[in-house]
């Protein structure tokens, strides 16, 4: 029903994408946000004659790109090329600061992109204290804790990509930390890279645990064994889509000439 009204569909996908992100279901959040951003790219001309609707969709478009940037930094994975190019073009500086682990940038991006929050409990009208910002502060606290837990994961990932086997002591010296702390971070890496992913069931809350990490590893005594799980990029599908697109344009031009 909601898909019949574009503004309703975009808003629904925005809230679903944000909810998935806060549930740490980054793969589902990235899929949801990518799909609706691609839809906006293709249907933007529909809203240009409606000024108020166009402004609202433009703002939500920027918010969703910001959420997508956060999710891709916390859980790197491949997305549609056209959406990725728009993200790199419009949000390159923001993306770079997020990738560097800038805590203030994470906070600013979350504050800009998140929806308004309401407390489920009524306020105490007997006091003069204003509690209207408490729901936002609570959600921001949860988000910042999640970001802090993942602060060292990009560094670990970058080292693991360079080796097939690596001793824990050597990696600990690279990261200037103790072996016990490194083991904890490696367990954190395993945990954070495994998410519940929707598998097509009727409920968007259901799913199965899947790992989308580009690198996988296991520890045998004091040795880390690393396997590259990145699938080679398939360029054929991209070219086939472009060929079909140009064929459709050619047919449309021919029909205009006749």
């Amino acid at each position: 029903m909601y898909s019949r009204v574009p503004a309703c569909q975009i808003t629904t996908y925005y809230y679903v994408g944000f909810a998935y992100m806060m549930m740490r279901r980054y793969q589902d959040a990235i899929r949801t946000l990518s799909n609706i951003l691609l839809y906006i790219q293709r249907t933007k001309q529909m809203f240009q004659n409606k000024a108020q609707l166009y402004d609202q969709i433009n703002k939500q478009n920027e918010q969703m790109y910001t959420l997508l940037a956060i999710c891709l930094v916390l859980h790197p994975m491949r997305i549609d090329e056209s959406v990725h190019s728009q993200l790199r073009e419009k949000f390159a500086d923001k993306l770079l600061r997020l990738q560097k682990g800038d805590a203030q940038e994470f906070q600013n991006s979350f504050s800009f992109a998140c929806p308004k929050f309401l407390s489920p409990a009524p306020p105490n009208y007997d006091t003069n204290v204003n509690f209207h910002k408490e729901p936002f502060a609570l959600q921001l606290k949860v988000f910042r804790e999640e970001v802090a837990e993942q602060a060292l994961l990009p560094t670990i990932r970058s080292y693991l990509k360079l080796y097939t086997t690596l001793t824990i002591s050597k990696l600990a010296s690279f990261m200037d930390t103790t072996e016990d702390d490194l083991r904890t971070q490696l367990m954190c890496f395993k945990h954070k890279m495994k998410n519940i992913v929707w598998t097509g069931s009727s409920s968007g809350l259901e799913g199965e645990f899947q790992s989308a990490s580009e690198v996988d590893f296991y520890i045998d005594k004091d040795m880390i064994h690393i396997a590259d799980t990145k699938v080679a990029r398939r360029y054929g599908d991209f070219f086939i889509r472009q060929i079909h697109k140009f064929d459709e344009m050619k047919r449309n031009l021919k029909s205009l000439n006749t």
Side-chain angles (χ1 to χ4, degrees), residues 9-257:
Q9 182 176 1
I10 292 166
T11 302
T12 302
Y13 270 74
Y14 163 67
Y15 280 104
V16 170
F18 179 80
Y20 274 140
M21 186 188 82
M22 294 303 290
M23 292 168 69
R24 212 174 60 76
R25 293 177 61 166
Y26 298 117
Q27 257 182 280
D28 286 332
I30 291 167
R31 172 184 53 81
T32 303
L33 294 168
S34 297
N35 287 345
I36 197 61
L37 289 169
L38 193 60
Y39 170 79
I40 292 172
Q41 275 186 26
R42 292 172 177 171
T43 60
K44 214 167 187 178
Q45 293 178 347
M46 291 169 52
F47 318 117
Q48 287 181 346
N49 297 328
K50 304 173 183 177
Q52 188 174 356
L53 182 61
Y54 186 73
D55 292 341
Q56 178 193 339
I57 289 173
N58 258 349
K59 183 183 178 184
Q60 280 191 326
N61 189 54
E62 290 186 7
Q63 287 177 309
M64 287 189 288
Y65 267 115
T66 303
L67 291 176
L68 182 61
I70 292 171
C71 291
L72 286 173
V73 169
L74 295 176
H75 192 92
M77 61 180 286
R78 189 173 297 133
I79 59 172
D80 185 88
E81 188 60 37
S82 59
V83 174
H84 201 193
S85 62
Q86 284 282 320
L87 183 64
R88 289 196 306 265
E89 183 182 329
K90 292 184 177 180
F91 299 89
D93 293 340
K94 184 189 291 287
L95 200 56
L96 185 62
R97 288 193 294 271
L98 290 172
Q99 287 170 343
K100 288 181 178 178
D102 187 336
Q104 187 60 46
E105 183 59 44
F106 272 105
Q107 181 171 329
N108 293 341
S109 297
F110 181 86
S111 302
F112 168 73
C114 71
K116 304 296 182 187
F117 300 108
L118 294 173
S119 173
N124 185 357
Y125 295 106
D126 296 331
T127 63
N128 294 324
V129 182
N130 196 341
F131 293 107
H132 75 284
K133 289 187 177 180
E134 274 198 353
F136 166 75
L138 177 61
Q139 297 299 322
L140 178 60
K141 179 175 178 289
V142 172
F143 175 73
R144 288 176 65 180
E145 286 174 355
E146 174 66 20
V147 170
E149 287 175 5
Q150 297 202 32
L152 293 176
L153 300 197
T155 309
I156 293 174
R157 185 185 296 110
S158 65
Y159 281 122
L160 293 180
K161 284 181 179 180
L162 300 175
Y163 295 88
T164 53
T165 55
L166 181 65
T167 61
I168 288 181
S169 57
K170 188 174 183 180
L171 183 55
S173 65
F174 286 158
M175 299 190 61
D176 194 22
T177 185
T178 65
E179 292 186 22
D180 288 341
D181 286 343
L182 178 60
R183 285 178 184 272
T184 303
Q185 289 299 326
L186 288 170
M187 290 300 293
C188 178
F189 184 95
K190 277 280 193 183
H191 170 64
K192 296 296 184 184
M193 290 300 106
K194 202 161 189 178
N195 302 158
I196 295 176
V197 180
W198 183 66
T199 53
S201 60
S202 58
S203 172
L205 295 174
E206 295 177 1
E208 297 176 358
F209 274 105
Q210 295 180 13
S211 177
S213 176
E214 293 180 353
V215 290
D216 196 12
F217 65 91
Y218 67 91
I219 301 173
D220 182 16
K221 297 179 181 177
D222 291 330
M223 184 68 72
I224 308 169
H225 298 267
I226 303 116
D228 189 356
T229 60
K230 189 175 182 180
V231 179
R233 195 165 191 171
R234 293 183 296 178
Y235 293 99
D237 293 344
F238 172 78
F239 284 111
I240 289 169
R241 284 200 304 271
Q242 298 305 314
I243 289 167
H244 287 317
K245 189 184 292 184
F246 282 120
D247 281 344
E248 187 179 349
M249 288 171 64
K250 187 179 176 182
R251 286 195 297 271
N252 290 338
L253 289 171
K254 277 187 176 179
S255 66
L256 289 173
N257 290 332

